[in-house]
Amino acid sequence: MGIKVGVAGCGNWGRNLVRNFSQLGALGAICDESPAVLKKQAAALSGVRTFTSFERLLESDEPAVVIATPAAMHYTQAKEALLAGKHVFVEKPLALRYYQGLELVELAESRKRILMVGHILEYHPAVALLRRLACAGELGKLWYIYSNRLNLGKVRQAENALWSFAPHDIAVITSLVGSEPSLVASLGGTYLQGGIEDVTMTNLVYEGPVRAHIFVSWLHPYKEQKLVVVGDRKMAVFDDTARDGKLKIYDKGIEWNAGLPVPRQTAESVLFFEPTEPLEIECAHFLSSVREGTQPLTDGRSALRVLRVLEASQMSLRNGGAPVPLQDVATRVAAA
C-alpha cells in the first residue's frame, strides 16, 4: 500500500493539491474549517476522510501532512505536525519570520522527518531545463537576471505582494546563481490597504558580477510571469504566460570590435519539454522523498535561503529601500 497524505486547507490552491494527490492515489484525508468547502471537495472523492479540525487530522494515521492554509498559519501548523511525527509538505512561505523557519528545519532534522516547501516553479519542466543549461555553461557566465510576476487581483490581506509572489522568483534565481545574495534592497507602494504593499521592486546583489531584480504586483493591467537570464555567451527567456515557446534561448550578446562594443545578433531557439503539470511533479516528488527518505529539491534548508531574502527585503521596505546585508537577518536571529 502506498503512502497516504492528509491535506489541510482546501481553498483556492489547496483544492489543486487535493486533486493531484488524489490522482496519484495518495490522498487519505482532507481538512478545512469550512464544512461547506469540505462537502464540496468530498463529493468528488471516494474513501477519503474529512476533518474540520487540524488537531483531528494529526491524530489520523496518514504519515504525512500537506499544509495549504493561509501563510500566517504555516509555522504553527508545520510545528504541530512535526511534533506529531508527520512528514510535512507546507506551501510557501515556510514561515513569516526567518527564526521560525530555522526552528522548523532544526525540528524536522532532529525528528528525522521530511520537510518540503511548495516552491512550485522549481518543478516546472522549463525551469528544470533552464537550470541544466545554466549549470552546463550554455549561457556562459551569468551577468544578470530579472523577473516580473504581475497581475490584476489576488489581493491578499495578511501578506503583501512581496511575500505572496516573490518567493517563486527568489527560489529560482537562487538555484540558478547557486548562492544567496549578499545585499538586498526593496522599494514598494501601498495603495489599497494600509501597511500592505501592492507593488514591490527588489534588487539582489551577489558576490561577483551577478545582479538580479524582482518586480511583483497585483495592481497591474495584464498578467505577466517572465524570467530573463543574461549570460556572457547567450540569453534565456522563460515566459510562463505564453501558450507556445515558453522557453527561448537567444544566441545574442556583445562583441568587441576595434575597442568598441558591438551587438551580436544571431539565432533564436525555442526549447521544448514535456508539458507535465508542475504541481503533479512536485506532489510526486514529495511522495518519493517520504518513501525513499531522501531530501527533496525544495527542502527546509533551501526554503530558509528564500525566507532570509524575504525578511531582508521586508526590512528594506520598512526603511525606505535602504540596502540590507543578508548577514543582518542571521545576526538578528542569533541575538534573539
Side-chain angles (χ1 to χ4, degrees):
M1 186 175 180
I3 294 166
K4 297 290 185 179
V5 306
V7 177
C10 302
N12 291 335
W13 186 248
R15 64 189 180 190
N16 294 319
L17 288 159
V18 168
R19 171 176 55 84
N20 274 276
F21 279 112
S22 177
Q23 291 172 350
L24 291 167
L27 187 65
I30 58 175
C31 173
D32 198 283
E33 62 182 13
S34 169
V37 169
L38 274 181
K39 183 178 180 180
K40 183 177 180 180
Q41 287 294 310
L45 305 168
S46 61
V48 174
R49 290 169 295 169
T50 61
F51 302 97
T52 55
S53 163
F54 184 69
E55 288 70 25
R56 290 287 308 280
L57 176 65
L58 295 183
E59 293 171 359
S60 66
D61 55 5
E62 283 76 22
V65 169
V66 178
I67 299 173
T69 52
M73 302 172 69
H74 289 182
Y75 161 70
T76 300
Q77 292 186 330
K79 182 177 180 178
E80 290 175 354
L82 289 169
L83 289 173
K86 307 288 187 181
H87 300 286
V88 175
F89 173 168
V90 57
E91 271 304 326
K92 60 82 186 168
L94 172 60
L96 293 181
R97 296 293 299 274
Y98 179 80
Y99 77 86
Q100 294 175 333
L102 182 61
E103 181 185 350
L104 293 176
V105 169
E106 292 176 344
L107 180 59
E109 291 174 350
S110 68
R111 299 267 171 155
K112 295 181 170 55
R113 289 296 179 265
I114 298 297
L115 175 61
M116 175 169 154
V117 183
H119 292 299
I120 188 173
L121 204 57
E122 291 222 55
Y123 297 92
H124 197 297
V127 171
L129 177 55
L130 176 57
R131 186 165 50 233
R132 289 196 298 272
L133 292 172
C135 289
E138 183 71 17
L139 306 181
K141 183 185 296 183
L142 296 185
W143 277 350
Y144 76 90
I145 303 172
Y146 80 80
S147 66
N148 292 344
R149 189 164 299 275
L150 317 168
N151 204 357
L152 180 63
K154 293 189 177 179
V155 178
R156 310 293 188 185
Q157 293 184 307
E159 60 192 89
N160 60 21
L162 171 76
W163 285 82
S164 183
F165 291 167
H168 298 296
D169 305 289
I170 295 170
V172 171
I173 292 171
T174 298
S175 71
L176 288 172
V177 177
S179 64
E180 296 177 81
S182 57
L183 194 70
V184 174
S186 190
L187 282 167
T190 302
Y191 307 103
L192 302 178
Q193 306 168 91
I196 300 176
E197 287 82 5
D198 307 291
V199 180
T200 67
M201 287 154 282
T202 302
N203 288 302
L204 311 176
V205 177
Y206 292 83
E207 297 293 340
V210 181
R211 301 292 183 267
H213 78 258
I214 299 170
F215 175 25
V216 296
S217 172
W218 56 47
L219 197 59
H220 197 266
Y222 58 87
K223 185 175 183 178
E224 180 176 326
Q225 296 175 353
K226 185 176 290 186
L227 177 76
V228 176
V229 184
V230 175
D232 67 353
R233 288 186 58 223
K234 297 180 182 179
M235 307 176 186
V237 176
F238 168 48
D239 185 353
D240 203 18
T241 58
R243 291 191 61 183
D244 301 302
K246 287 179 180 286
L247 180 59
K248 294 181 179 180
I249 298 293
Y250 294 82
D251 192 0
K252 298 182 178 182
I254 299 294
E255 294 178 347
W256 292 85
N257 186 357
L260 298 174
V262 180
R264 172 174 53 84
Q265 301 279 359
T266 53
E268 167 189 323
S269 304
V270 176
L271 302 186
F272 296 95
F273 48 85
E274 288 295 325
T276 310
E277 183 183 0
L279 187 56
E280 178 186 344
I281 298 172
E282 186 178 45
C283 293
H285 185 71
F286 176 63
L287 295 173
S288 175
S289 295
V290 173
R291 184 170 55 250
E292 304 296 332
T294 55
Q295 287 300 313
L297 173 65
T298 55
D299 64 2
R301 290 287 172 184
S302 72
L304 268 184
R305 291 191 287 271
V306 174
L307 194 54
R308 179 148 56 182
V309 174
L310 284 168
E311 187 154 336
S313 300
Q314 187 67 42
M315 292 166 64
S316 179
L317 275 175
R318 293 292 178 257
N319 287 282
V324 174
L326 243 66
Q327 185 59 38
D328 283 7
V329 176
T331 301
R332 190 168 66 169
V333 170

